Each structure stands twice: as C-alpha cells, then as structure tokens.
Amino acid sequence: MLPFPRMIKYANKMKVPEVKEIFMYNGYSASVIPATALLLLYKNGDLMGIGGTTSQNYGFGNGVHNAKVKEWTLIYQNVKRFRTAQGTFNLIQTEDNKFFYSGVGKAIGAGLSTASTYTDCTSYFTSVFNATQLSQIKDIQLVGEGIFVLLENGTLYGMGANTQGYFGNNTTTRLSTFTSINTNVDSVKTGSSAVIVQKIDKTLWVTGQNTWGSLGISNNATNIRVWTQMGAFANNTVIHYELGGSASWVVYKHNTNNTYTVRASGIQSEGNLGNGSAASSGTVLSTISTLPISDDMIMKSNSLTYGGLTVKTNNSLYMCGINTYGRLGRGNTTSSTTFVVPVDAPKVGSIELFCPSECTNVYMDNQGDVYLSGYIPQATGTTVSDYYTKFQLYKIPSRGI
C-alpha cells in the first residue's frame, strides 16, 4: 500500500508489465472533459493513471482533484479489483481483501464523506462477508451511490443510497449494510442508476431508472423498483447484453434457426443506439441490422448518456454514437447512427482489451501497445486525435513481473 501516488520516470532497462484491465472516464461538457483520465490495472497489482482529476472526478485519490496529471502515476499496489463510477466514486479491492474508496462516499454505510485520498472501508464488507465469502467474490459493480457484490454462489448483495430503486426491493430506502437483493445470478451490469442481471437460466432482469425506456420495459416507466424480466425472448437464448447510462443492448440467438438478433432500447441522440436513427425520443427494443455477430463478441458502453456502444467482433471494433472529439477513429468528428469501423486502426485485428467513453476510446493490442482516439487524457485544452494513435505507457524497472 502506498501513502500517496508517485510519479513513474522513464529509465534504461525498463519493461512494460502485462495489463489486466483498462479504465477510461470522462464527461461530455466543458467542465468535465478536462477530467478525462486513463487508468490501467496491471497483472502485478499496480494501478496506474494519467490525465485529469478535476473536482468532479477523484479517480487518482491523490488529494489533488483540480490539476492535470501529465505523467503516469502509481495510484495503488496489490490491487485485485478496481471499479469506478465515472471517476466520481471509486473502489479498490486488494489481494488481501481489504477495501478502499475515493470520491463521493454516499454508497457506503449511512453515507460517508467525500474522500480525496483512498480511505479504508473494509469494515463495511467484513461485517457481512466472512473470509471465505470475500475470497469468493465473483464481481463488483458500482452506480454513483451504490455498490453491488456478486458471490460465486449466485447471490447478489447491494449497499447504498438506492435513490432510483436500483436494488429492486420496491423502495428507494438506503441500504446501510450489504443486503441480499437477488439470487441465482450469473452476471451483473450497471448503468448510472440502473442494473441488469443475467440469471443462471440466461433470463435478464432489470431494476432502477428506466427513463426513455432504457431497460426495455416501457418508454413511460421512469423507475422500476422491483426486479422485472426484460423483454419477451421466448424460444431465444440471450448470449450478450450491455447497459449504458440511458440505453441497453441485447444479442440473442433464435433457437429455431440459429440466427442472431441485436436489439437496443433507450434514449436516442447522436445515434447512440446504433439503429440508424438520431431521433431524440425513447425506443424500446429497436432492431439493429448493421452489427456483425460472433460467438466471442464483447460489448461495452459507459455510464454516461450519449456514449453509444463499442463492440469487438469479427476481429475488429464497431462503434456508434457521439463523436465530437473524434473518439470513433474515423478521421472526423461526425457522430454515427450506425456501427462503423475505425479507419487505419493499428493492429485492430489483434485487440486484447478495450474501453469506451463519451470523449475517448482506447484499446490494447496483443503486443501490449495501447492506442486511443478522441480527447488526449494528459492534454492541456482540447487537444484531440481523430485517428487511433499509439499512447506511451509507463515502464518500470524489471523486477520479476
């Protein structure tokens, strides 16, 4: 554990360790864009960051949230899992199952104060989960004021403000301790104030904010406060799903003829659903025809409104939605209502990891090189790249990584 982040300098005889996960957060407004930040979690447990840390984002936890970090900074070590709600609330789980948060603390207990450095919150986990259960955490997901913990036995727990009813217990009352809120859950994904889970039987269940029909239930239902099954997928098998800030996407296989369908639901602006429309009204389960399907496809969005969807399929990236800062990598800043492929993306056929945001998209190839398109994290002003450009990673002295 580090008492404070430190800057990583370049030197001779350096090597780049393997990246485990990529995180990118920013926002679509003049005040938030300077907070664009790129964070990398390495397999050796190092969490590194570069870019903005304005007053709206606390992702670096370095006690200084109004200055641009222009060199790679070591945020924390021995990290098993890192999660962020767009930089506003961040959570670290270490390899020895300790927990630390930075940012707005409304998701923890009765609501903790905002912390500009990583602060221990382990007791809120150990008061509910024993050592065996802590070692069997399958996933952790966040909303701005809530935490979801999924155990390997399929039990989903929630703690936090519950302001939009996203815990599915038919209230908006805060859960001050981790409480079981669902069972037989295989996976969980969160938006800004909503949740989708896929059960072991492959059915999808939703709860939380449903403005614009983003959960695929009804355009007019603002909040869904009880777990409700999404869509009518009779004789079909859901194989992929994703939840963004105000939209969701589902890929399902027709069991009768082994064909696939992609459906989108939610707010439609800047073409973020990818269904060929830019209409501003909500849409429930609109069919998408421009996205190739593959069994190993991976879908990712972000918890902001207009970011759209980024998909790795058929050895390429397909993207749609807002493109004000050139994040689509097309050599322009024109948003796309359909799914498009980046122009001249280096080694795009060998993508290992990727992460989208509203202003910047980033991916890593199988050589360990990182490329990004859009707003440059450590830039001053509005410096952007509308083609995918190789991004300099930090290097550390060789120490058996």
Side-chain angles (χ1 to χ4, degrees), residues 162-280:
N162 199 27
T163 51
Q164 305 293 338
Y166 40 70
F167 291 138
N169 58 359
N170 203 25
T171 74
T172 56
T173 303
R174 168 179 289 276
L175 296 180
S176 296
T177 60
F178 280 108
T179 303
S180 174
I181 57 175
N182 212 327
T183 57
N184 298 318
V185 175
D186 183 58
S187 63
V188 55
K189 296 187 177 181
T190 56
S192 56
S193 297
V195 188
I196 300 179
V197 302
Q198 185 168 36
K199 296 271 194 159
I200 294 173
D201 64 5
K202 300 301 182 182
T203 58
L204 297 180
W205 296 79
V206 301
T207 184
Q209 188 175 33
N210 188 47
T211 308
W212 307 291
S214 57
L215 295 179
I217 304 298
S218 169
N219 286 343
N220 300 317
T222 301
N223 292 331
I224 299 172
R225 297 179 179 174
V226 296
W227 291 102
T228 303
Q229 189 168 356
M230 174 192 257
F233 301 114
N235 298 317
N236 303 312
T237 300
V238 175
I239 59 172
H240 303 288
Y241 71 103
E242 179 64 8
L243 177 61
S246 299
S248 59
W249 296 263
V250 179
V251 180
Y252 58 90
K253 183 177 182 180
H254 300 270
N255 297 332
T256 54
N257 57 13
N258 290 329
T259 60
Y260 298 89
T261 297
V262 185
R263 306 290 290 275
S265 176
I267 191 171
Q268 180 67 289
S269 181
E270 304 281 353
N272 59 290
L273 291 186
N275 65 349
S277 172
S280 60

Side-chain angles (χ1 to χ4, degrees), residues 8 22 44 47 59 112 115 137 167 202 217 227 230-231 243 248 284 310 368 386 399:
I8 301 298
I22 298 175
N44 68 350
L47 180 63
L112 301 183
I137 292 177
F167 291 138
K202 300 301 182 182
I217 304 298
W227 291 102
M230 174 192 257
L243 177 61
S248 59
V284 174
T310 299
D386 52 17
R399 52 186 172 90

Side-chain angles (χ1 to χ4, degrees), residues 80-134:
K80 176 191 291 187
R81 186 178 280 115
F82 172 75
R83 294 291 181 262
T84 178
Q86 283 297 316
T88 302
F89 169 55
N90 308 278
L91 186 70
I92 285 174
Q93 179 186 8
T94 60
E95 289 291 348
D96 54 354
N97 291 323
K98 299 294 194 318
F99 296 85
F100 303 85
Y101 84 97
S102 74
V104 179
K106 293 181 180 180
I108 303 173
L112 301 183
S113 58
T114 297
S116 58
T117 58
Y118 275 97
T119 303
D120 195 321
C121 58
T122 304
S123 62
Y124 293 92
F125 290 80
T126 55
S127 64
V128 175
F129 305 113
N130 59 37
T132 299
Q133 290 173 316
L134 289 175

Side-chain angles (χ1 to χ4, degrees), residues 63-76:
V64 182
H65 48 79
N66 60 357
K68 183 85 67 174
V69 177
K70 296 185 178 182
E71 294 184 68
W72 281 107
T73 300
L74 180 57
I75 298 171
Y76 225 84

